[in-house]
Amino acid sequence: MSEAPPDPVLIASIQEQQAWAFEVLFERYAPAIRRHLHSIVRDAPATEDLLQETYLRVWTRAGQWNGQGAVKGWLFRIATNLALNHLRTRKRRPEQPLELPDTLVEEDDLPDTPAWLVDTASLGPEAVIELAEQGTRLQKVIQDLPEDKRELLHLVHQMELSLREAADELGIPEGTAKSRLYYARAQVKHGLQAEEE
């Protein structure tokens, strides 16, 4: 390949699990994202972990890029959100004398439960297990939502975009995003209550 393809072509190829495209995208932006992450977390090992996590998300969730805005901006947003989450977690437990077993708190084992649904500031082992169960129920309820509402919830609560940014990302007016988010939250709340009953 004489000339490297543009970012949208790379993302489309990554969506089809083409490893070469992933490598090109990594080479293209990893140094800049590494600098960006390090400027936030100021910790070399954490920077490397977060860089890997950023690209892992790109590989596993490339389908979430919807073709609007720059791929570079999307990558930086993922990296920034991961870095801020890392700092919040570190702030919550700067010193933790009682270590939970790794298998219990490994992030991949826990479902993506958004912070707006549960405050995880001080979790014991039972609470972590309860949170995982809640998260499983939550994921089931969210999967049942229409795709437009599911995507909006993801952008606002997991990618931590503002309502305006999420609306831009989806190419809809901010007012539409606002009402869609309201109904999505209401449906999630109703769905969780129904699950519990």
Side-chain angles (χ1 to χ4, degrees), residues 28-135:
R28 189 171 289 175
Y29 293 119
I33 290 175
R34 183 183 283 113
R35 283 193 300 274
H36 175 66
L37 285 166
H38 194 265
S39 74
I40 299 173
V41 300
R42 307 264 178 214
D43 175 347
T47 294
E48 289 307 312
D49 288 348
L50 290 165
L51 181 66
Q52 298 301 322
E53 179 66 20
T54 299
Y55 274 91
L56 177 65
R57 296 229 173 161
V58 170
W59 180 252
T60 57
R61 303 180 185 183
Q64 290 172 353
W65 186 70
N66 61 8
Q68 297 187 341
V71 170
K72 184 179 180 181
W74 180 63
L75 291 175
F76 271 80
R77 217 166 28 242
I78 293 171
T80 302
N81 288 332
L82 288 169
L84 294 177
N85 285 342
H86 169 79
L87 289 180
R88 273 197 291 270
T89 306
R90 202 169 64 185
K91 201 170 169 184
R92 272 207 300 265
R93 37 194 173 88
E95 293 168 7
Q96 195 145 20
L98 175 65
E99 287 290 323
L100 295 177
D102 284 346
T103 51
L104 194 61
V105 292
E106 204 51 51
E107 240 195 356
D108 291 344
D109 295 345
L110 287 176
D112 285 332
T113 305
W116 55 276
L117 238 144
V118 61
D119 176 20
T120 58
S122 54
L123 292 181
E126 293 85 4
V128 172
I129 292 164
E130 169 61 23
L131 176 58
E133 288 169 359
Q134 279 178 1

Side-chain angles (χ1 to χ4, degrees), residues 152 156 162-164 166-168 170 172-184:
L152 185 60
V156 172
S162 70
L163 196 59
R164 173 171 292 181
D168 289 348
L170 294 170
I172 57 175
E174 194 175 345
T176 305
K178 194 172 188 176
S179 64
R180 201 175 279 181
L181 188 62
Y182 172 82
Y183 286 113

Side-chain angles (χ1 to χ4, degrees), residues 3 118 124 141 186 190:
E3 202 176 302
V118 61
V141 170
H190 179 75

